[in-house]
Amino acid sequence: MDAYRDQYATLFHDGNGVTLLAISVDSAAVLASWAKDRAYPFRLLSDPDGAVGRLYGAYEPAYRMDNRTLFVVGRDGRIAYVAAPFEEIDPQAYTSLQGAIDRLVK
């Protein structure tokens, strides 16, 4: 999440034409505190029972948590890009993500 925050202006066009939502099974209170402490310029959404994660195949029932799947959804509601899992320590992952976002924003 820190990498998203640190690259928000360039990667996510500073929120112009792009909405970043991070979804986790953590409670809303925990996520709100974390977002405030880390100064995230995007929303963290709570999915405590994993319903959204299940819908998108990102929920790991054995661990009761979502895996690090990343989806880019176009304005038409269709999934335009998937990274499963998203390799947050690999710089190439951000290059690929940037390309997917740029194609949709233009």
Side-chain angles (χ1 to χ4, degrees):
M1 295 290 104
D2 287 355
Y4 293 158
R5 176 200 58 211
D6 297 345
Q7 299 178 65
Y8 189 76
T10 56
L11 188 61
F12 299 104
H13 299 261
D14 210 19
N16 295 312
V18 177
T19 302
L20 171 59
L21 302 172
I23 303 173
S24 168
V25 297
D26 294 317
S27 73
V30 166
L31 292 173
S33 176
W34 189 38
K36 182 180 177 189
D37 292 346
R38 306 300 284 192
Y40 292 146
F42 48 85
R43 296 186 187 270
L44 301 178
L45 306 177
S46 178
D47 180 31
D49 63 357
V52 174
R54 282 185 185 87
L55 284 172
Y56 286 89
Y59 185 74
E60 297 288 344
Y63 303 106
R64 296 187 193 132
M65 62 189 312
D66 295 321
N67 59 36
R68 292 189 182 272
T69 303
L70 182 143
F71 298 94
V72 174
V73 180
R75 290 182 181 165
D76 62 0
R78 294 180 186 206
I79 296 172
Y81 176 82
V82 178
F86 183 71
E87 301 289 346
E88 69 278 351
I89 61 171
D90 180 1
Q92 181 57 40
Y94 294 94
T95 301
S96 297
L97 175 58
Q98 179 78 64
I101 291 170
D102 287 350
R103 283 190 296 279
L104 290 175
V105 172
K106 293 181 179 177

XYZ file of all heavy atoms in Angstrom:
828
model
N 0.803 -1.189 0.000
C 0.000 0.000 0.000
C 0.852 1.260 0.000
O 0.467 2.241 -0.602
C -0.932 0.019 1.217
C -1.983 -1.083 1.239
S -3.273 -0.887 -0.006
C -2.789 -2.104 -1.181
N 2.003 1.180 0.654
C 2.887 2.351 0.659
C 3.370 2.664 -0.751
O 3.486 3.830 -1.127
C 4.075 2.137 1.591
C 3.696 2.199 3.061
O 2.529 2.506 3.387
O 4.573 1.931 3.890
N 3.632 1.630 -1.535
C 4.079 1.859 -2.916
C 2.983 2.539 -3.729
O 3.264 3.424 -4.540
C 4.499 0.547 -3.565
N 1.735 2.138 -3.506
C 0.624 2.811 -4.191
C 0.554 4.272 -3.770
O 0.342 5.158 -4.589
C -0.707 2.144 -3.871
C -0.875 0.744 -4.411
C -1.788 -0.112 -3.824
C -0.152 0.276 -5.494
C -1.976 -1.396 -4.313
C -0.326 -1.007 -5.979
C -1.254 -1.835 -5.377
O -1.442 -3.092 -5.861
N 0.712 4.528 -2.488
C 0.689 5.909 -1.983
C 1.828 6.714 -2.615
O 1.621 7.820 -3.101
C 0.840 5.923 -0.463
C 0.911 7.333 0.130
C 1.524 7.366 1.508
N 2.866 6.811 1.480
C 3.432 6.172 2.505
N 2.794 6.005 3.639
N 4.659 5.691 2.403
N 3.021 6.139 -2.606
C 4.197 6.861 -3.071
C 4.176 7.119 -4.576
O 4.816 8.057 -5.047
C 5.467 6.103 -2.680
C 5.641 5.998 -1.168
O 4.952 6.734 -0.420
O 6.453 5.157 -0.730
N 3.459 6.285 -5.321
C 3.385 6.440 -6.780
C 2.011 6.919 -7.246
O 1.723 6.909 -8.437
C 3.690 5.091 -7.448
C 5.069 4.552 -7.140
C 5.288 3.203 -7.778
O 5.307 3.097 -9.000
N 5.448 2.175 -6.965
N 1.185 7.331 -6.313
C -0.204 7.672 -6.623
C -0.312 8.719 -7.729
O -1.114 8.569 -8.658
C -0.920 8.143 -5.362
C -2.395 8.305 -5.521
C -3.228 7.198 -5.552
C -2.967 9.572 -5.637
C -4.595 7.341 -5.693
C -4.331 9.720 -5.774
C -5.145 8.604 -5.807
O -6.497 8.748 -5.952
N 0.468 9.769 -7.638
C 0.381 10.862 -8.619
C 0.656 10.371 -10.038
O -0.057 10.739 -10.974
C 1.342 11.984 -8.252
N 1.662 9.535 -10.207
C 2.007 9.085 -11.560
C 1.255 7.822 -11.955
O 0.654 7.768 -13.025
C 3.519 8.840 -11.682
O 3.932 7.904 -10.681
C 4.293 10.124 -11.548
N 1.270 6.826 -11.109
C 0.664 5.534 -11.439
C -0.853 5.639 -11.582
O -1.443 5.086 -12.511
C 1.028 4.514 -10.352
C 0.657 3.062 -10.575
C 1.337 2.499 -11.817
C 1.052 2.226 -9.365
N -1.477 6.359 -10.671
C -2.933 6.468 -10.659
C -3.425 7.844 -11.080
O -4.541 8.252 -10.739
C -3.473 6.109 -9.262
C -3.123 4.703 -8.862
C -2.112 4.462 -7.943
C -3.767 3.611 -9.423
C -1.773 3.168 -7.572
C -3.440 2.317 -9.071
C -2.440 2.088 -8.145
N -2.595 8.576 -11.825
C -2.964 9.874 -12.387
C -3.518 10.816 -11.318
O -4.420 11.605 -11.591
C -3.950 9.711 -13.537
C -3.411 8.923 -14.679
N -2.896 9.520 -15.801
C -3.273 7.578 -14.862
C -2.472 8.584 -16.642
N -2.689 7.396 -16.089
N -2.993 10.684 -10.118
C -3.405 11.516 -8.992
C -4.919 11.480 -8.783
O -5.531 12.445 -8.340
C -2.919 12.953 -9.168
C -2.646 13.644 -7.836
O -2.484 12.948 -6.815
O -2.601 14.884 -7.821
N -5.515 10.344 -9.148
C -6.957 10.166 -8.973
C -7.816 10.760 -10.068
O -9.041 10.696 -10.001
N -7.206 11.325 -11.113
C -7.963 11.913 -12.225
C -8.322 10.815 -13.222
O -7.478 10.321 -13.949
C -7.154 13.009 -12.918
C -6.914 14.180 -11.998
O -7.837 14.658 -11.355
N -5.676 14.621 -11.903
N -9.586 10.433 -13.231
C -10.041 9.373 -14.127
C -9.735 7.983 -13.609
O -9.977 7.007 -14.298
N -9.201 7.893 -12.401
C -8.830 6.607 -11.806
C -9.313 6.587 -10.354
O -9.102 7.547 -9.625
C -7.296 6.400 -11.822
C -6.912 5.103 -11.150
C -6.753 6.450 -13.235
N -9.943 5.494 -9.968
C -10.332 5.308 -8.579
C -9.643 4.056 -8.068
O -9.808 2.984 -8.641
C -11.860 5.142 -8.440
O -12.494 6.297 -8.976
C -12.256 4.956 -6.984
N -8.859 4.214 -7.025
C -8.152 3.091 -6.417
C -8.904 2.675 -5.163
O -9.140 3.497 -4.279
C -6.714 3.491 -6.058
C -5.912 2.492 -5.228
C -5.786 1.158 -5.935
C -4.540 3.069 -4.911
N -9.297 1.412 -5.110
C -9.954 0.844 -3.938
C -9.170 -0.392 -3.524
O -8.952 -1.291 -4.332
C -11.394 0.435 -4.265
C -12.321 1.527 -4.788
C -13.641 0.926 -5.245
C -12.543 2.584 -3.731
N -8.779 -0.443 -2.292
C -8.097 -1.620 -1.744
C -9.089 -2.326 -0.829
O -9.689 -1.693 0.045
C -6.853 -1.201 -0.979
N -9.285 -3.609 -1.038
C -10.269 -4.363 -0.275
C -9.556 -5.432 0.538
O -8.709 -6.150 0.025
C -11.314 -5.000 -1.207
C -11.996 -3.919 -2.047
C -12.339 -5.797 -0.405
C -12.924 -4.460 -3.113
N -9.946 -5.524 1.810
C -9.309 -6.439 2.747
C -10.356 -7.010 3.692
O -11.399 -6.392 3.919
C -8.241 -5.682 3.544
O -7.789 -6.448 4.638
N -10.058 -8.154 4.273
C -10.950 -8.732 5.285
C -10.777 -8.063 6.642
O -11.530 -8.347 7.571
C -10.759 -10.262 5.415
C -11.131 -10.964 4.110
C -9.357 -10.613 5.837
N -9.819 -7.169 6.769
C -9.633 -6.448 8.031
C -10.859 -5.589 8.331
O -11.575 -5.165 7.424
C -8.385 -5.561 7.959
C -7.116 -6.366 7.851
O -6.984 -7.373 8.570
O -6.251 -5.998 7.032
N -11.063 -5.295 9.611
C -12.221 -4.488 10.014
C -12.097 -3.055 9.495
O -10.988 -2.563 9.245
C -12.352 -4.465 11.538
O -11.339 -3.648 12.106
N -13.247 -2.404 9.375
C -13.263 -1.010 8.923
C -12.457 -0.123 9.855
O -11.736 0.775 9.404
C -14.697 -0.520 8.808
N -12.539 -0.375 11.159
C -11.802 0.449 12.128
C -10.299 0.291 11.955
O -9.554 1.281 11.985
C -12.208 0.076 13.554
N -9.844 -0.920 11.760
C -8.411 -1.178 11.557
C -7.942 -0.504 10.273
O -6.903 0.160 10.244
C -8.120 -2.692 11.526
C -6.728 -2.982 10.985
C -8.285 -3.297 12.914
N -8.708 -0.651 9.206
C -8.323 -0.060 7.925
C -8.326 1.466 7.986
O -7.428 2.107 7.433
C -9.247 -0.556 6.818
C -9.115 -2.044 6.484
C -10.195 -2.456 5.493
C -7.729 -2.382 5.963
N -9.316 2.050 8.649
C -9.375 3.515 8.777
C -8.167 4.036 9.541
O -7.558 5.043 9.152
C -10.673 3.934 9.468
N -7.802 3.358 10.607
C -6.641 3.770 11.398
C -5.363 3.659 10.572
O -4.523 4.565 10.574
C -6.545 2.907 12.654
O -5.379 3.213 13.384
N -5.221 2.556 9.875
C -4.034 2.315 9.044
C -3.943 3.370 7.942
O -2.883 3.946 7.714
C -4.113 0.905 8.469
C -2.898 0.411 7.776
C -1.606 0.635 8.128
C -2.853 -0.412 6.615
N -0.758 -0.009 7.251
C -1.515 -0.666 6.318
C -3.829 -0.982 5.804
C -1.112 -1.445 5.242
C -3.430 -1.767 4.738
C -2.089 -1.985 4.465
N -5.068 3.637 7.271
C -5.072 4.624 6.189
C -4.695 6.012 6.702
O -3.950 6.743 6.053
C -6.444 4.656 5.526
N -5.198 6.349 7.872
C -4.879 7.657 8.460
C -3.409 7.729 8.851
O -2.715 8.707 8.531
C -5.756 7.909 9.682
C -5.519 9.249 10.318
C -6.405 9.448 11.523
C -6.070 10.775 12.181
N -6.748 10.926 13.464
N -2.909 6.703 9.521
C -1.514 6.677 9.961
C -0.529 6.735 8.794
O 0.532 7.343 8.898
C -1.219 5.425 10.790
C -1.916 5.406 12.134
O -2.434 6.466 12.562
O -1.967 4.319 12.751
N -0.886 6.100 7.685
C 0.017 6.020 6.532
C -0.286 7.086 5.482
O 0.386 7.155 4.458
C -0.061 4.633 5.893
C 0.184 3.455 6.844
C 1.511 3.490 7.487
N 2.499 3.084 6.515
C 3.743 2.782 6.796
N 4.160 2.831 8.040
N 4.591 2.432 5.867
N -1.295 7.903 5.707
C -1.682 8.988 4.800
C -1.958 8.493 3.377
O -1.444 9.027 2.399
C -0.611 10.086 4.786
N -2.804 7.465 3.293
C -3.158 6.937 1.972
C -4.163 7.853 1.296
O -5.180 8.216 1.891
C -3.736 5.533 2.095
C -2.733 4.500 2.552
C -3.117 3.446 3.365
C -1.403 4.560 2.167
C -2.210 2.489 3.776
C -0.488 3.613 2.578
C -0.899 2.581 3.382
O -0.001 1.642 3.790
N -3.927 8.224 0.033
C -4.849 9.104 -0.686
C -5.958 8.336 -1.398
O -6.549 8.825 -2.345
C -3.923 9.802 -1.687
C -2.906 8.754 -2.002
C -2.693 8.004 -0.702
N -6.213 7.104 -0.979
C -7.225 6.253 -1.595
C -7.979 5.524 -0.491
O -7.591 5.545 0.664
C -6.587 5.259 -2.574
C -5.394 4.537 -2.019
C -5.534 3.394 -1.252
C -4.110 5.017 -2.252
C -4.437 2.738 -0.729
C -3.001 4.362 -1.735
C -3.165 3.221 -0.976
N -9.050 4.881 -0.873
C -9.913 4.215 0.105
C -9.515 2.757 0.331
O -9.188 2.044 -0.621
C -11.361 4.259 -0.349
C -11.907 5.662 -0.421
C -13.395 5.617 -0.744
N -13.906 6.935 -0.977
C -14.409 7.707 -0.038
N -14.471 7.306 1.197
N -14.867 8.908 -0.342
N -9.618 2.360 1.599
C -9.468 0.968 1.986
C -10.856 0.495 2.399
O -11.492 1.107 3.257
C -8.492 0.822 3.153
C -7.074 1.338 2.931
C -6.241 1.159 4.196
C -6.409 0.630 1.769
N -11.327 -0.569 1.792
C -12.661 -1.085 2.056
C -12.595 -2.392 2.818
O -11.763 -3.252 2.524
C -13.414 -1.295 0.741
C -13.502 -0.083 -0.189
C -14.214 -0.459 -1.478
C -14.202 1.070 0.495
N -13.507 -2.547 3.769
C -13.553 -3.742 4.590
C -14.524 -4.763 4.005
O -15.669 -4.438 3.693
C -13.979 -3.372 6.014
O -14.070 -4.525 6.807
N -14.064 -5.987 3.884
C -14.852 -7.120 3.387
C -14.661 -8.264 4.391
O -14.003 -9.260 4.093
C -14.351 -7.505 1.990
C -15.094 -8.676 1.381
O -16.293 -8.857 1.662
O -14.457 -9.423 0.611
N -15.192 -8.096 5.623
C -14.845 -9.004 6.713
C -15.185 -10.474 6.495
O -14.487 -11.342 7.015
C -15.600 -8.441 7.916
C -16.682 -7.614 7.351
C -16.165 -7.093 6.032
N -16.212 -10.746 5.706
C -16.546 -12.149 5.468
C -15.993 -12.681 4.153
O -16.237 -13.819 3.777
C -18.054 -12.373 5.553
C -18.829 -11.610 4.494
O -18.218 -10.855 3.710
O -20.065 -11.760 4.446
N -15.247 -11.840 3.437
C -14.615 -12.265 2.193
C -15.559 -12.395 1.013
O -15.210 -13.007 0.006
N -16.749 -11.804 1.092
C -17.736 -11.933 0.017
C -17.222 -11.385 -1.313
O -17.371 -12.027 -2.356
C -19.039 -11.232 0.408
N -16.620 -10.216 -1.288
C -16.088 -9.626 -2.528
C -14.912 -10.456 -3.034
O -14.817 -10.756 -4.227
C -15.678 -8.156 -2.310
C -14.999 -7.585 -3.548
C -16.880 -7.315 -1.926
N -14.038 -10.842 -2.133
C -12.909 -11.690 -2.515
C -13.355 -12.989 -3.168
O -12.764 -13.445 -4.145
N -14.411 -13.585 -2.649
C -14.945 -14.827 -3.235
C -15.470 -14.576 -4.647
O -15.266 -15.377 -5.549
C -16.057 -15.402 -2.359
C -15.560 -16.131 -1.147
C -16.749 -16.782 -0.393
N -16.305 -17.392 0.824
C -16.192 -16.787 1.998
N -16.492 -15.497 2.108
N -15.777 -17.430 3.055
N -16.186 -13.452 -4.828
C -16.744 -13.125 -6.141
C -15.659 -13.025 -7.216
O -15.880 -13.377 -8.365
C -17.517 -11.811 -6.083
C -18.891 -11.859 -5.432
C -19.451 -10.444 -5.284
C -19.846 -12.722 -6.236
N -14.490 -12.528 -6.812
C -13.413 -12.305 -7.767
C -12.320 -13.369 -7.703
O -11.277 -13.230 -8.333
C -12.810 -10.909 -7.561
C -13.716 -9.824 -8.073
C -14.683 -9.253 -7.258
C -13.620 -9.387 -9.390
C -15.529 -8.268 -7.732
C -14.458 -8.419 -9.875
C -15.416 -7.860 -9.044
O -16.250 -6.888 -9.532
N -12.532 -14.414 -6.932
C -11.548 -15.495 -6.843
C -10.282 -15.100 -6.115
O -9.225 -15.670 -6.351
N -10.380 -14.125 -5.224
C -9.201 -13.631 -4.504
C -9.200 -14.029 -3.035
O -8.294 -13.659 -2.304
C -9.122 -12.104 -4.619
N -10.193 -14.774 -2.603
C -10.303 -15.143 -1.186
C -9.669 -16.507 -0.946
O -9.874 -17.440 -1.715
C -11.774 -15.173 -0.766
C -11.984 -15.417 0.711
C -11.729 -14.420 1.637
C -12.423 -16.647 1.179
C -11.929 -14.630 2.993
C -12.626 -16.870 2.533
C -12.371 -15.866 3.436
O -12.556 -16.077 4.773
N -8.884 -16.598 0.113
C -8.229 -17.845 0.512
C -8.931 -18.370 1.764
O -8.617 -17.940 2.881
C -6.743 -17.603 0.800
C -5.932 -17.129 -0.386
C -5.703 -18.231 -1.400
O -5.901 -19.433 -1.083
O -5.332 -17.899 -2.534
N -9.907 -19.282 1.614
C -10.672 -19.732 2.776
C -9.821 -20.393 3.859
O -10.115 -20.259 5.047
C -11.691 -20.714 2.202
C -11.321 -20.943 0.798
C -10.346 -19.902 0.384
N -8.769 -21.070 3.479
C -7.919 -21.729 4.474
C -7.276 -20.734 5.427
O -7.007 -21.050 6.586
C -6.836 -22.554 3.780
N -7.030 -19.521 4.945
C -6.384 -18.478 5.757
C -7.350 -17.378 6.171
O -6.960 -16.437 6.865
C -5.211 -17.875 4.991
C -4.194 -18.904 4.572
C -4.094 -19.309 3.251
C -3.363 -19.493 5.513
C -3.179 -20.268 2.877
C -2.437 -20.458 5.139
C -2.357 -20.841 3.819
O -1.454 -21.798 3.452
N -8.590 -17.440 5.669
C -9.608 -16.415 5.923
C -9.122 -15.013 5.561
O -9.277 -14.059 6.319
C -10.073 -16.454 7.379
C -10.763 -17.728 7.730
C -11.343 -17.639 9.126
N -11.723 -18.971 9.540
C -11.407 -19.495 10.705
N -10.736 -18.797 11.588
N -11.790 -20.711 11.012
N -8.516 -14.924 4.400
C -8.029 -13.630 3.926
C -7.971 -13.620 2.408
O -8.032 -14.661 1.762
C -6.663 -13.304 4.527
C -5.574 -14.272 4.150
S -4.005 -14.062 5.032
C -3.703 -12.356 4.915
N -7.862 -12.426 1.859
C -7.713 -12.270 0.413
C -6.244 -12.397 0.050
O -5.362 -12.029 0.824
C -8.222 -10.896 -0.034
C -9.713 -10.732 0.184
O -10.458 -11.693 -0.042
O -10.130 -9.623 0.582
N -5.991 -12.916 -1.156
C -4.618 -12.926 -1.651
C -4.356 -11.596 -2.357
O -5.233 -10.763 -2.466
C -4.374 -14.137 -2.567
C -5.296 -14.166 -3.764
O -5.637 -13.134 -4.311
N -5.708 -15.342 -4.177
N -3.155 -11.400 -2.811
C -2.778 -10.111 -3.410
C -3.100 -10.083 -4.906
O -2.223 -9.939 -5.739
C -1.301 -9.841 -3.183
C -0.985 -9.596 -1.739
C 0.436 -9.111 -1.575
N 0.766 -8.920 -0.191
C 0.553 -7.797 0.479
N 0.030 -6.768 -0.123
N 0.881 -7.711 1.746
N -4.369 -10.199 -5.205
C -4.816 -10.102 -6.584
C -5.151 -8.650 -6.872
O -5.762 -7.969 -6.056
C -6.050 -10.983 -6.821
O -5.733 -12.328 -6.469
C -6.487 -10.938 -8.270
N -4.745 -8.187 -8.046
C -4.988 -6.806 -8.447
C -5.824 -6.825 -9.716
O -5.513 -7.557 -10.650
C -3.654 -6.110 -8.694
C -3.736 -4.650 -9.080
C -2.595 -3.895 -8.457
C -3.730 -4.487 -10.577
N -6.882 -6.045 -9.724
C -7.752 -5.921 -10.887
C -7.792 -4.471 -11.322
O -7.874 -3.573 -10.491
C -9.190 -6.337 -10.545
C -9.333 -7.762 -10.116
C -9.301 -8.096 -8.779
C -9.510 -8.768 -11.050
C -9.439 -9.399 -8.361
C -9.651 -10.088 -10.652
C -9.614 -10.410 -9.303
N -7.758 -4.255 -12.623
C -8.031 -2.940 -13.197
C -9.346 -3.108 -13.941
O -9.469 -3.958 -14.819
C -6.906 -2.482 -14.150
C -7.293 -1.174 -14.840
C -5.589 -2.329 -13.402
N -10.322 -2.301 -13.541
C -11.662 -2.390 -14.112
C -11.929 -1.121 -14.907
O -11.740 -0.007 -14.413
C -12.719 -2.548 -12.999
C -14.116 -2.646 -13.583
C -12.396 -3.770 -12.134
N -12.371 -1.303 -16.127
C -12.669 -0.160 -16.982
C -13.971 0.511 -16.605
O -14.758 -0.005 -15.807
N -14.221 1.641 -17.174
C -15.454 2.385 -16.898
C -16.698 1.599 -17.311
O -17.787 1.851 -16.814
C -15.429 3.730 -17.600
C -14.423 4.663 -16.990
C -14.432 6.010 -17.642
N -13.400 6.819 -16.994
C -12.941 7.925 -17.485
N -13.404 8.390 -18.617
N -12.005 8.599 -16.840
N -16.507 0.651 -18.213
C -17.622 -0.192 -18.644
C -17.910 -1.320 -17.664
O -18.819 -2.120 -17.865
C -17.352 -0.758 -20.037
C -16.111 -1.649 -20.096
O -15.435 -1.844 -19.060
O -15.801 -2.142 -21.196
N -17.132 -1.397 -16.590
C -17.329 -2.424 -15.579
C -16.620 -3.737 -15.869
O -16.693 -4.666 -15.071
N -15.929 -3.810 -16.977
C -15.224 -5.039 -17.344
C -13.798 -5.038 -16.805
O -13.137 -3.995 -16.779
C -15.185 -5.201 -18.862
C -16.541 -5.414 -19.451
C -16.451 -5.573 -20.938
N -17.791 -5.630 -21.485
C -18.082 -6.231 -22.614
N -17.132 -6.798 -23.333
N -19.322 -6.253 -23.042
N -13.354 -6.197 -16.415
C -11.978 -6.342 -15.943
C -11.052 -6.245 -17.147
O -11.168 -7.018 -18.096
C -11.792 -7.677 -15.197
C -12.648 -7.686 -13.933
C -10.316 -7.901 -14.858
C -12.694 -9.019 -13.216
N -10.150 -5.281 -17.110
C -9.248 -5.023 -18.227
C -7.845 -5.572 -17.979
O -7.063 -5.711 -18.920
C -9.170 -3.522 -18.491
N -7.530 -5.872 -16.720
C -6.184 -6.329 -16.378
C -6.256 -7.055 -15.037
O -6.963 -6.617 -14.135
C -5.242 -5.122 -16.269
C -3.832 -5.432 -15.831
C -2.884 -5.887 -16.736
C -3.456 -5.259 -14.498
C -1.590 -6.153 -16.322
C -2.160 -5.529 -14.086
C -1.232 -5.976 -15.003
O 0.047 -6.243 -14.603
N -5.534 -8.172 -14.954
C -5.462 -8.927 -13.701
C -4.006 -9.296 -13.441
O -3.302 -9.747 -14.343
C -6.285 -10.234 -13.768
C -6.160 -11.031 -12.474
C -7.739 -9.961 -14.085
N -3.580 -9.102 -12.227
C -2.271 -9.585 -11.765
C -2.559 -10.473 -10.555
O -2.988 -9.989 -9.519
C -1.357 -8.433 -11.383
N -2.381 -11.773 -10.734
C -2.714 -12.728 -9.673
C -1.567 -13.713 -9.465
O -1.399 -14.608 -10.274
C -3.992 -13.480 -10.020
N -0.785 -13.508 -8.448
C -0.834 -12.405 -7.493
C -0.089 -11.196 -8.040
O 0.695 -11.304 -8.983
C -0.092 -12.960 -6.280
C 0.940 -13.862 -6.871
C 0.252 -14.488 -8.085
N -0.330 -10.056 -7.439
C 0.427 -8.859 -7.780
C 1.744 -8.923 -7.020
O 1.758 -9.055 -5.801
C -0.346 -7.588 -7.395
C 0.374 -6.333 -7.794
C 0.477 -5.988 -9.125
C 0.951 -5.515 -6.850
C 1.150 -4.842 -9.514
C 1.620 -4.365 -7.228
C 1.718 -4.025 -8.562
N 2.828 -8.859 -7.744
C 4.171 -8.970 -7.156
C 4.677 -7.584 -6.794
O 5.394 -6.944 -7.557
C 5.123 -9.659 -8.142
C 4.687 -11.042 -8.553
C 4.813 -12.076 -7.447
O 5.488 -11.804 -6.418
O 4.225 -13.159 -7.593
N 4.292 -7.116 -5.625
C 4.555 -5.734 -5.230
C 6.023 -5.367 -5.095
O 6.365 -4.185 -5.087
C 3.799 -5.375 -3.950
C 4.284 -6.071 -2.712
C 3.748 -7.481 -2.529
O 2.860 -7.908 -3.266
O 4.240 -8.166 -1.632
N 6.910 -6.350 -5.008
C 8.344 -6.029 -4.902
C 9.047 -6.029 -6.255
O 10.214 -5.694 -6.344
C 9.073 -6.973 -3.919
C 8.989 -8.418 -4.381
C 8.520 -6.806 -2.520
C 9.853 -9.364 -3.577
N 8.324 -6.375 -7.320
C 8.894 -6.425 -8.662
C 8.578 -5.123 -9.410
O 7.411 -4.834 -9.680
C 8.323 -7.622 -9.412
C 8.859 -7.759 -10.823
O 9.707 -6.942 -11.255
O 8.429 -8.709 -11.514
N 9.586 -4.326 -9.757
C 9.326 -3.074 -10.479
C 8.551 -3.280 -11.781
O 7.769 -2.416 -12.184
C 10.725 -2.513 -10.756
C 11.605 -3.154 -9.736
C 11.012 -4.514 -9.479
N 8.749 -4.418 -12.449
C 8.028 -4.695 -13.694
C 6.519 -4.773 -13.460
O 5.729 -4.418 -14.328
C 8.530 -5.995 -14.333
C 7.858 -6.342 -15.648
C 7.980 -5.268 -16.715
O 9.034 -4.646 -16.873
N 6.914 -5.032 -17.452
N 6.114 -5.191 -12.278
C 4.687 -5.262 -11.972
C 4.056 -3.876 -12.060
O 2.927 -3.733 -12.550
C 4.474 -5.864 -10.585
N 4.776 -2.860 -11.618
C 4.252 -1.494 -11.663
C 4.262 -0.948 -13.087
O 3.381 -0.174 -13.462
C 5.039 -0.587 -10.714
C 4.828 -0.991 -9.283
C 5.716 -1.865 -8.661
C 3.732 -0.549 -8.557
C 5.517 -2.273 -7.350
C 3.524 -0.945 -7.256
C 4.416 -1.821 -6.656
O 4.212 -2.225 -5.367
N 5.233 -1.364 -13.887
C 5.274 -0.966 -15.294
C 4.064 -1.534 -16.030
O 3.388 -0.829 -16.789
C 6.577 -1.444 -15.952
O 7.684 -0.880 -15.239
C 6.642 -1.049 -17.415
N 3.757 -2.800 -15.782
C 2.595 -3.430 -16.407
C 1.298 -2.792 -15.935
O 0.382 -2.542 -16.729
C 2.574 -4.929 -16.093
O 3.703 -5.558 -16.632
N 1.205 -2.518 -14.640
C 0.021 -1.872 -14.093
C -0.156 -0.482 -14.692
O -1.257 -0.103 -15.091
C 0.124 -1.798 -12.571
C -0.983 -1.040 -11.845
C -2.352 -1.629 -12.155
C -0.708 -1.025 -10.344
N 0.924 0.271 -14.789
C 0.869 1.617 -15.378
C 0.338 1.559 -16.800
O -0.512 2.353 -17.190
C 2.254 2.256 -15.371
C 2.300 3.650 -15.993
C 1.772 4.698 -15.061
O 2.353 4.910 -14.017
N 0.686 5.350 -15.410
N 0.822 0.593 -17.574
C 0.350 0.449 -18.942
C -1.136 0.153 -19.020
O -1.857 0.734 -19.853
N -1.619 -0.711 -18.153
C -3.038 -1.049 -18.132
C -3.886 0.160 -17.768
O -4.930 0.419 -18.405
C -3.290 -2.183 -17.150
N -3.459 0.908 -16.792
C -4.204 2.111 -16.373
C -4.166 3.160 -17.465
O -5.197 3.742 -17.825
C -3.641 2.666 -15.053
C -3.951 1.695 -13.906
C -4.207 4.054 -14.761
C -3.236 2.009 -12.613
N -2.996 3.397 -18.032
C -2.865 4.413 -19.076
C -3.762 4.102 -20.278
O -4.358 5.000 -20.871
C -1.413 4.535 -19.535
C -0.523 5.225 -18.524
O -1.052 5.783 -17.533
O 0.716 5.189 -18.704
N -3.855 2.815 -20.647
C -4.706 2.442 -21.787
C -6.177 2.777 -21.515
O -6.908 3.161 -22.428
C -4.562 0.951 -22.102
C -3.281 0.621 -22.851
C -3.263 -0.809 -23.354
N -3.282 -1.806 -22.290
C -2.216 -2.199 -21.592
N -1.026 -1.675 -21.854
N -2.323 -3.101 -20.646
N -6.602 2.651 -20.288
C -8.011 2.931 -19.959
C -8.309 4.408 -19.775
O -9.415 4.859 -20.050
C -8.407 2.173 -18.685
C -8.503 0.661 -18.838
C -8.780 0.022 -17.488
C -9.589 0.287 -19.838
N -7.330 5.142 -19.291
C -7.545 6.561 -19.004
C -7.532 7.396 -20.285
O -8.223 8.389 -20.388
C -6.514 7.075 -17.981
C -6.587 8.579 -17.814
C -6.724 6.395 -16.636
N -6.744 6.963 -21.246
C -6.619 7.749 -22.498
C -7.835 7.615 -23.366
O -8.560 6.723 -23.387
C -5.376 7.316 -23.254
C -4.126 7.700 -22.496
C -2.900 7.314 -23.240
C -1.692 7.771 -22.422
N -0.459 7.424 -22.960
